[in-house]
Amino acid sequence: MKKPFIDLSSDTSTRPSAEMRNFMAAAEVGDEQKREDPTVNRLVEKVSQLLGKEEAVFLPSGSMCNQIATRVHCQPGDEIICDATSHLRNFEGAGASALCGVSIYYLDGQKGVFSADQMAAAVRPVENHFARSRMISIEQTANHAGGVIWPLETIGEVCSRAADFNLARHMDGARLLNAVVATGISAQTYAEHFDSVWIDFSKGLGAPVGAALAGSKEFIQDAWRFKHQFGGAMRQSGVIAAAALYALENNVERLAEDHTNAKRLYDGLVEIEGINVQPSDTNIIIIKLSELGCTGQEFNEKLIARGVRLSITGKMQLRAVTHLDVSRSQIDETLVAFAETTNEFGG
Ligand SMILES: *Cc1c(COP(=O)(O)O)cnc(C)c1O
């Protein structure tokens, strides 16, 4: 019998469960653009409460949340400050420049986390030669740093210093709920330092699509204008909003299992010679292959032949992300596949 495929390439690879699909099928719907979709209305109400913000807006993707927040906070010619590893900088098709007309000043933080001093040193003097520093963005958790949790204390320092410079504070909370489950600190406590914050439903929460961006009433009013302008205003989107509601009801606490599985994966991987593994605060393990002398692509192809897929995040680097469609026993199978593949490359 062929083993089922173990997809650790991303927590976006989760598929909606039968229960989630039933819940979606039964959703009441209306025209979202007229604010008449009861399911979307329930969802944004729930997200505003969760994040302690006045209002929220449902959007098709996390990338659109970042872009709309940038567009609301900044004018063309403004500049954003974020970490070098951030999604906003690297993985949104240069949307910040293409859609918002802003430049990005990136910082070399410690595993995705920069300090208030680093941030302050990046703020441009108010002078006509320079871009206008206008917004900071932080990622909770820092994805490409390995699911790293920004400590609340650092968030407080960075955000209060940013406020001194009159910078808008934005949180890319694609995996904020992973941080919440791992630390026991509430989403609201993390979010209170920010003018805008969003969560993704299509990552570890297991929904097929969707994200929600939250902020003040005025911020969301502006966000709605760009939701239309960027083509993200939908119609009977209650069908997909229902998946997000289901996810918030059923799939948040269980993120702890993903963290336990990531730890199990890490504990097994460190025993394997020839690879270098970074521990994770949450569900993302970074694996460096430099000692083996093979590329991430070569290694991944051999893993795929053994029924396991990771993502390639550098020439000699792979990333494994645990999620609700990967069980504990599949982690053990992954470790076997890893040991065999490493042997094959002479590790
Ligand atoms: C996935 C991700 C995004 C983008 O979300 P999409 O819903 O895939 O557009 C943004 N930021 C971070 C940190 C992410 O991991």
Side-chain angles (χ1 to χ4, degrees):
M1 194 178 80
K2 199 174 177 313
K3 280 189 291 188
F5 195 70
I6 301 169
D7 194 350
L8 290 161
S9 62
S10 174
D11 46 9
T12 55
S13 69
T14 55
R15 309 242 169 112
S17 64
E19 295 78 15
M20 182 182 273
R21 285 169 189 258
N22 287 339
F23 196 77
M24 293 168 78
E28 262 190 275
V29 296
D31 188 334
E32 181 210 81
Q33 291 185 19
K34 296 190 174 71
R35 313 290 205 275
E36 287 172 358
D37 189 298
T39 309
V40 172
N41 291 345
R42 259 176 73 200
L43 176 66
V44 294
E45 177 65 35
K46 198 174 168 72
V47 171
S48 340
Q49 278 173 15
L50 176 73
L51 300 175
K53 298 295 176 200
E54 281 175 353
E55 287 190 10
V57 58
F58 184 47
L59 292 168
S61 72
S63 300
M64 199 182 277
C65 292
N66 274 340
Q67 294 305 325
I68 287 181
T70 302
R71 189 64 190 85
V72 171
H73 291 309
C74 304
Q75 294 299 317
D78 287 350
E79 191 163 73
I80 308 172
I81 299 169
C82 63
D83 189 76
T85 64
S86 66
H87 197 283
L88 179 57
R89 170 178 174 239
N90 298 307
F91 303 109
E92 296 178 17
S97 60
L99 303 172
C100 309
V102 307
S103 59
I104 294 182
Y105 192 117
Y106 60 88
L107 302 172
D108 283 314
Q110 275 282 6
K111 292 190 181 154
V113 178
F114 52 82
S115 68
D117 285 346
Q118 274 182 297
M119 189 277 300
V123 177
R124 306 273 188 183
V126 180
E127 205 263 300
N128 289 340
H129 284 87
F130 300 114
R132 186 177 66 149
S133 304
R134 185 62 200 113
M135 162 180 149
I136 60 156
S137 176
I138 77 130
E139 235 175 71
Q140 185 74 304
T141 64
N143 175 353
H144 280 264
V148 173
I149 298 174
W150 271 73
L152 191 57
E153 197 186 341
T154 314
I155 288 177
E157 288 163 7
V158 167
C159 288
S160 97
R161 194 83 75 87
D164 292 343
F165 289 110
N166 248 328
L167 306 182
R169 286 139 280 152
H170 173 68
M171 178 192 274
D172 170 340
R175 295 184 184 78
L176 170 61
L177 297 179
N178 288 83
V180 166
V181 168
T183 61
I185 296 170
S186 74
Q188 190 171 338
T189 302
Y190 280 124
E192 70 188 7
H193 297 273
F194 297 89
D195 300 302
S196 51
V197 52
W198 62 271
I199 55 172
D200 213 326
F201 304 115
S202 68
K203 300 271 162 82
L205 293 183
V209 62
L213 172 66
S216 68
K217 199 169 155 53
E218 199 187 6
F219 172 84
I220 294 299
Q221 207 171 346
D222 283 344
W224 258 99
R225 210 155 58 79
F226 295 114
K227 177 172 156 87
H228 278 267
Q229 195 179 96
F230 290 1
M234 298 178 279
R235 296 295 185 184
Q236 286 72 29
S237 50
V239 173
I240 51 173
L245 269 177
Y246 182 91
L248 286 177
E249 298 283 352
N250 297 283
N251 292 346
V252 176
E253 263 98 68
R254 65 147 308 286
L255 290 170
E257 288 173 41
D258 300 341
H259 302 165
T260 307
N261 281 338
K263 175 79 170 63
R264 188 175 182 85
L265 182 61
Y266 171 79
D267 287 344
L269 289 176
V270 285
E271 299 297 327
I272 298 175
E273 298 218 355
I275 56 173
N276 210 300
V277 197
Q278 186 185 300
S280 178
D281 295 338
T282 52
N283 68 329
I284 302 175
I285 305 280
I286 308 272
I287 301 139
K288 295 202 161 89
L289 306 169
S290 26
E291 279 178 46
L292 281 184
C294 65
T295 64
Q297 177 149 5
E298 287 162 349
F299 196 95
N300 208 33
E301 276 166 16
K302 300 285 185 194
L303 275 180
I304 289 169
R306 295 185 164 92
V308 177
R309 177 166 70 178
L310 271 63
S311 62
I312 302 157
T313 53
K315 192 164 187 299
M316 294 183 158
Q317 182 176 293
L318 295 170
R319 184 188 71 161
V321 189
T322 56
H323 55 78
L324 88 175
D325 288 347
V326 176
S327 66
R328 180 185 151 125
S329 65
Q330 288 178 318
I331 294 295
D332 295 339
E333 289 175 44
T334 300
L335 288 169
V336 173
F338 239 92
E340 287 174 4
T341 306
T342 312
N343 274 338
E344 204 176 329
F345 284 107

